[in-house]
Amino acid sequence: MNESNFNWTLIRSFLAALDQGSLMGAARALNMHQPTLGRHIAELEAQLGLTLFERTGRGLLPTPDATRLADAARAMAAAADQLGRQASGAQRVLPGTVRISASQPVACVLLPPILQGLRLQWPDIQVELVVSNAVSNLLQREADIAIRMVRPDQGSLVSRRVGQVGLGAYAHQDYLRRRGTPRQPADLLQHELIGNDRQTDILRGFAQMGLAVGREHFSLRTDDLMAGEALVAAGLGIGFIARYAARQRPGLVQVLPGLPIPPLPVWLVVHREIRSNPRIRAVWDLLANALPEALA
């Protein structure tokens, strides 16, 4: 058989004849003339070099070759149907812009490979990426979709939890060779710590572990998450960063993996009134499917 000349459209006629058991029944099922369907079967047999049916007075009797090929033919038909549905869905997604709001680490680390897949699937959708944590982006219609670590409580917003961000204490291997590795939480007070400036999340975490830690214990302080990651990656001390971000920084080592640092939930948020927009809905669905895997 010459595969380059194979007529794949004949598969529908083959399956109809197999299911209906007669040329008349198959033609009726496909809404075509019986002679046309008979020619399709004959052409398929010629291309395959096989006899697929024995013509009897009671109809068509499938040969062992037809039975053997049936599963592959059905898989082919199912794939063609899926392709048709996806093409139809693509036609319904209107071209235009979708604004996505996300925090700096999410925008810089998690989203780029996801947005690459989005551009390949929906090339007519343009993306505007807003780097912000403000829920007001959605309320004021400054963004269409937001990725947040806190579930909004405004009734006009719809949210879906898509995963969680695991956090840990990390240091570069060069720093640990130089200063040693802490063995228990209290040992952290003997190390160079990288923490927040005005935010108090890390201070509260130390307090929950029973350690009296103030801002003065942090030799380097910043509320910029990406800057904090860069300081840790440069070997300047021990900092507290997201695990998905640490995976992107060669040489980082997690210390004290048993620290009781609760993960942060990740919420996908959209304004209730615009969720039904086909373009926004397409991007929402893609993010909802891709983010859990990226966060794992």
Side-chain angles (χ1 to χ4, degrees), residues 110-216:
L110 281 185
L111 282 184
I114 295 176
L115 294 181
Q116 181 185 32
L118 187 152
R119 292 289 302 145
L120 291 173
Q121 185 171 352
W122 311 111
D124 291 333
I125 295 180
Q126 302 162 11
V127 174
E128 294 176 349
L129 186 56
V130 181
V131 182
S132 170
N133 277 321
V135 176
S136 60
N137 289 130
L138 290 174
L139 296 175
Q140 299 171 10
R141 304 299 178 88
E142 295 174 0
D144 299 316
I145 299 173
I147 302 167
R148 293 288 177 260
M149 305 302 154
V150 178
R151 184 179 188 178
D153 55 9
Q154 292 84 355
S156 59
L157 302 181
V158 175
S159 59
R160 179 193 298 181
R161 181 167 175 166
V162 293
Q164 62 184 20
V165 174
L167 302 171
Y170 286 87
H172 194 275
Q173 57 190 9
D174 293 342
Y175 171 86
L176 296 176
R177 280 195 292 265
R178 187 171 71 251
R179 293 293 305 272
T181 301
R183 302 301 177 187
Q184 55 187 359
D187 293 345
L188 291 172
L189 302 184
Q190 309 304 317
H191 281 265
E192 300 288 322
L193 295 180
I194 300 170
N196 296 137
D197 179 18
R198 297 182 179 180
Q199 297 179 5
T200 60
D201 295 348
I202 297 177
L203 294 179
R204 292 198 302 270
F206 274 110
Q208 291 172 359
M209 289 187 289
L211 298 175
V213 174
R215 292 178 71 254
E216 66 277 5

Side-chain angles (χ1 to χ4, degrees), residues 192-196 202 218-220 222 228 231-232 236-240:
E192 300 288 322
L193 295 180
I194 300 170
N196 296 137
I202 297 177
F218 300 138
S219 58
L220 289 163
T222 178
L231 294 172
V232 175
L236 294 177
I238 298 175
F240 303 87

Side-chain angles (χ1 to χ4, degrees), residues 10-11 13-15 17-18 40-55 60-70:
L10 305 180
I11 296 299
S13 296
F14 164 65
L15 290 175
L18 193 65
H40 284 182
I41 298 299
E43 183 179 349
L44 181 61
E45 289 178 325
Q47 290 193 11
L48 294 175
L50 300 171
T51 299
L52 298 175
F53 297 98
E54 294 181 10
R55 281 68 171 173
L60 299 177
L61 181 64
T63 65
D65 286 326
T67 302
R68 178 173 54 85
L69 295 175

Side-chain angles (χ1 to χ4, degrees), residues 31-43:
N31 194 26
M32 68 170 58
H33 297 297
Q34 180 175 333
T36 301
L37 194 136
R39 285 195 299 271
H40 284 182
I41 298 299
E43 183 179 349

Side-chain angles (χ1 to χ4, degrees), residues 55 73 75-76 134 223 269 274:
R55 281 68 171 173
M76 187 186 306
D223 289 332
V269 189
I274 59 178

